[in-house]
Amino acid sequence: MVYENRTFTLFLILLNLALISLTALFSLGKFDLFLKQLIFWLIGFLLFFSFKIIDYRLIFNKFYFYLLIILSFFLLILVLFTPGKIKSWFHLGPISFQPTEFAKISLFLILTNFLSYYAKHLKKIFYLALSFFLVLPYLFLIYLQPDMGMAFLYFLIWFFAIIFFLPRKLLFFLLIVFLIFGLVLWVFVLKDYQKKRITSFLFSSGDPLKTDYNLRQIRIALASTNFFGKGVGYSDLGKFGLLPSASTDFILTFIIEERGYFGFLIYSLLIFLLINELYHLYFFSKEYLVKNFTYLVIIYFLVKYCLTSFINFGAFPIIGLPPAFISYGGSHLIFDLWLLGIVSSFGEK
């Protein structure tokens, strides 16, 4: 009965997030996106409730576990050979989706199994390195697409998954390794446009119409609003195309412009209510696999919320990451709802 109530509570939270997302797209005048997003929500809710009739233990079965991993890598590799410049999307007729979103399931399963058996051994460098090498193929394939935002998100999921198991000395050593690794990335890996995004965030490039344009428009939108905003339908920047990616990466900035910082507080409250429900599911779980999978899902939503909020407030370099549940897009929404459906089903069988 407890789990039934939590599933219903999660559903109510998601309904409120759906309302924020759909009304924002409608207010933008993106009626085609509004209708598509409505369909994405319906498909997502269908998957969310699918684990009411599908036993969640299926995903922990070795056969399906390996199948998901193989399929994830197959899609991540296959998308690299699709025609066109943008390689992060896989097109199957009229249907397009991001393999990186699907691959999250297998990433969580790999880390879930690792933590369930080797979490106590992470104080040893060998096992720490092993945990990173399990994630490295994902990071490499996603970087090749290229999708730096998703690669960074995957990295942070791994980092926060293992950080609480590390002693202080090893954590300090790990931070030094990351500093050296970051310098290597800057010199040999990052492309010029990626470096410009970082440097323009730290130091103005003096080019407000190109390199600094996105960050400049975000700050103008935030400065032009107040606690309760300008009112729905009264946006000056987002509605008239002056705020870049107002329906996707910067939809949170658009919501703040229209509904003020009060709108951001409502969104934040809903996200934290969702995380709180997941935490209770984590706390009452007795199986290690279930507990660790839920732990990773909590990390994922918390990290994604923090990153996208910082980006939409102009407090972090733009890396192309959409805010959870409110941004337009089927891939991230459908797979996030699928994840929540899996977690909400734990304990019901």
Side-chain angles (χ1 to χ4, degrees), residues 240-260:
F240 296 103
L242 299 175
L243 179 66
S245 305
S247 61
T248 52
D249 293 1
F250 302 116
I251 193 169
L252 189 55
T253 304
F254 169 71
I255 289 172
I256 294 171
E257 184 192 9
E258 274 202 343
R259 307 172 199 191

Side-chain angles (χ1 to χ4, degrees), residues 17 25 29 38 62-63 84 92 119 127 130 137 208 210 250 270 277 283 315 318-319 334-335 337:
L17 289 167
L25 291 173
L38 180 60
K62 285 186 178 181
F63 172 77
L92 188 63
Y127 287 97
L130 179 61
K210 290 185 179 180
F250 302 116
L270 290 170
E277 291 301 313
F283 184 80
I318 298 167
I319 56 175
I334 290 171
F335 286 112
L337 291 174

Side-chain angles (χ1 to χ4, degrees), residues 224-232 234 254-266:
S224 65
T225 190
N226 52 51
F227 185 74
F228 290 106
K230 300 175 181 177
V232 176
Y234 291 95
F254 169 71
I255 289 172
I256 294 171
E257 184 192 9
E258 274 202 343
R259 307 172 199 191
Y261 297 100
F262 178 74
F264 172 73
L265 290 177
I266 294 297

Side-chain angles (χ1 to χ4, degrees), residues 30-191:
K30 307 285 187 179
F31 305 118
D32 56 333
L33 301 187
F34 168 83
L35 292 174
K36 289 180 181 178
Q37 191 74 349
L38 180 60
I39 294 171
F40 295 150
W41 272 104
L42 293 174
I43 295 172
F45 278 132
L46 181 64
L47 286 172
F48 176 78
F49 287 109
S50 66
F51 277 83
K52 290 286 184 182
I53 56 174
I54 301 173
D55 194 333
Y56 73 84
R57 297 180 185 89
L58 191 69
I59 66 168
F60 295 122
N61 181 283
K62 285 186 178 181
F63 172 77
Y64 294 102
F65 169 69
Y66 292 125
L67 180 64
L68 281 169
I69 293 172
I70 292 170
L71 185 57
S72 295
F73 283 115
F74 173 74
L75 290 173
L76 287 172
I77 293 170
L78 185 62
V79 76
L80 295 173
F81 296 96
T82 57
K85 293 183 179 180
I86 301 176
K87 300 293 184 180
S88 57
W89 289 84
F90 182 71
H91 304 281
L92 188 63
I95 301 173
S96 300
F97 70 94
Q98 287 181 285
T100 53
E101 296 292 342
F102 178 83
K104 284 186 304 194
I105 302 289
S106 67
L107 174 72
F108 290 166
L109 287 173
I110 288 174
L111 289 176
T112 293
N113 278 271
F114 181 87
L115 291 175
S116 298
Y117 294 104
Y118 302 109
K120 295 180 180 179
H121 301 288
L122 279 169
K123 58 185 178 181
K124 299 178 182 178
I125 294 180
F126 172 78
Y127 287 97
L128 177 60
L130 179 61
S131 70
F132 180 71
F133 281 114
L134 290 174
V135 179
L136 189 59
Y138 291 95
L139 300 179
F140 178 70
L141 290 173
I142 295 171
Y143 170 76
L144 292 179
Q145 291 184 7
D147 191 345
M148 288 299 295
M150 190 62 71
F152 189 55
L153 179 62
Y154 271 49
F155 171 79
L156 289 180
I157 291 170
W158 166 79
F159 178 73
F160 286 107
I162 58 95
I163 190 175
F164 299 107
F165 299 98
L166 302 180
R168 289 185 179 180
K169 289 183 179 179
L170 188 56
L171 180 59
F172 181 71
F173 169 76
L174 188 62
L175 292 175
I176 294 175
V177 171
F178 287 156
L179 180 60
I180 297 171
F181 186 64
L183 292 173
V184 172
L185 284 177
W186 181 268
V187 176
F188 300 105
V189 179
L190 293 181
K191 296 178 172 56

